[in-house]
Amino acid sequence: MASVLLVEDDHFVRAALIRHLTDASHSVRSVGTALEALREISQLPFDVVILDLGLPDLDGGKALKMLRGIADVPVIIATARDDEAGIVRLLNDGADDYLTKPFSAEHLTARIAAVLRRSGAGTGGRGRGTAAAPIPEVISVGGISVDPTRRAATLDGTELDLTRREFDLLAYLAERPGRVVPRKELLARVWNQPYGADKTVDVHLSWLRRKLGESAASPRYLHTYRGVGVKLEPPR
């Protein structure tokens, strides 16, 4: 069971989603405005937020930025917009996933489960197992250092300002230096989404490249092999 905050102003949609999420054993609180959502998040802990973009008081994109200023809770965007530029902005602003309306309740449940697995929230990440996991060591690839324990990464000694998903992507690739990792593997292991032609990997790679001071046309660390995958290796 997870604690879910549903931010949706359409009463009929909200009622249907509350019913479905409750039937799926989730604990649900719901609000209809961005300001109510920010107040809830500042006062209560949630495992995941479902955020509609078409809110009456504040655009959902702006609400997402404000939300990210007060909490690191996973956010799934529910939007009727399907333009790639808009999706890129949302992911860059801190969204963990998105669904394009209309979507089925089953699809939403699957996305929530995937986000919870990635974040370690809900029953999937609390109290699992009794054996202590070994503390991972700092990973170095050229001038990049990744510390899984602190969830921090540096480039040539300067700390990188990475989102949660950017860090997960960099850490996964850094653990496999010199190996071309297929996009499907990244979707399955970093995003827990072993299906769909998702732009998520490409979007996050683009933003990660910028933070590493490179581009797809002039790569230093991240090398893309069209139709195959991505490889992280030190500059030659």
Side-chain angles (χ1 to χ4, degrees):
M1 182 183 77
S3 176
V4 180
L5 177 63
L6 174 63
V7 189
E8 169 64 63
D9 68 316
D10 187 306
H11 295 289
F12 295 103
V13 173
R14 187 162 67 185
L17 290 178
I18 290 173
R19 183 171 58 254
H20 177 80
L21 292 170
T22 302
D23 289 345
S25 298
H26 295 306
S27 171
V28 185
R29 289 180 68 90
S30 66
V31 294
T33 68
L35 293 180
E36 288 176 311
L38 293 170
R39 184 167 56 248
E40 290 283 321
I41 291 166
S42 67
Q43 296 176 350
L44 297 170
F46 292 97
D47 293 321
V48 63
V49 175
I50 303 167
L51 178 63
D52 177 45
L53 289 188
L55 298 173
D57 60 334
L58 191 64
D59 178 79
K62 293 180 181 178
L64 175 64
K65 291 182 180 179
M66 296 174 68
L67 186 159
R68 275 288 164 256
I70 60 175
D72 196 32
V73 59
V75 178
I76 300 175
I77 295 292
T79 175
R81 311 168 195 174
D82 60 358
D83 62 296
E84 184 172 334
I87 290 170
V88 168
R89 283 194 299 272
L90 292 168
L91 293 171
N92 184 52
D93 288 341
D96 293 83
D97 205 345
Y98 65 91
L99 284 168
T100 303
K101 294 180 177 181
F103 52 82
S104 68
E106 290 75 16
H107 194 175
L108 173 60
T109 301
R111 290 298 180 101
I112 289 175
V115 166
L116 294 177
R117 286 194 299 270
R118 295 197 297 267
S119 67
T123 55
R126 294 175 180 168
R128 180 169 43 189
T130 57
I135 299 176
E137 298 179 354
V138 175
I139 307 163
S140 296
V141 181
I144 296 176
S145 292
V146 179
D147 186 341
T149 303
R150 293 179 51 242
R151 289 190 63 81
T154 61
L155 174 62
D156 299 329
T158 301
E159 188 157 354
L160 295 168
D161 182 17
L162 303 178
T163 65
R164 180 173 55 251
R165 199 58 58 229
E166 289 167 350
F167 177 85
D168 292 342
L169 176 59
L170 179 61
Y172 191 85
L173 292 171
E175 289 173 350
R176 297 156 182 79
R179 174 189 155 192
V180 179
V181 182
R183 279 179 170 76
K184 288 185 177 179
E185 179 179 336
L186 291 173
L187 266 178
R189 302 307 295 271
V190 178
W191 278 269
N192 283 317
Q193 292 181 16
Y195 59 88
D198 205 321
K199 295 286 187 182
T200 297
V201 174
D202 290 333
V203 169
H204 281 80
L205 280 172
S206 174
W207 289 110
L208 183 55
R209 280 195 177 98
R210 292 191 183 189
K211 293 180 180 181
L212 293 176
E214 61 182 67
S215 66
S218 302
R220 293 182 65 231
Y221 285 95
L222 290 170
H223 301 266
T224 301
Y225 295 80
R226 187 178 297 275
V228 183
V230 185
K231 177 172 67 174
L232 178 71
E233 64 180 7
R236 297 175 181 175

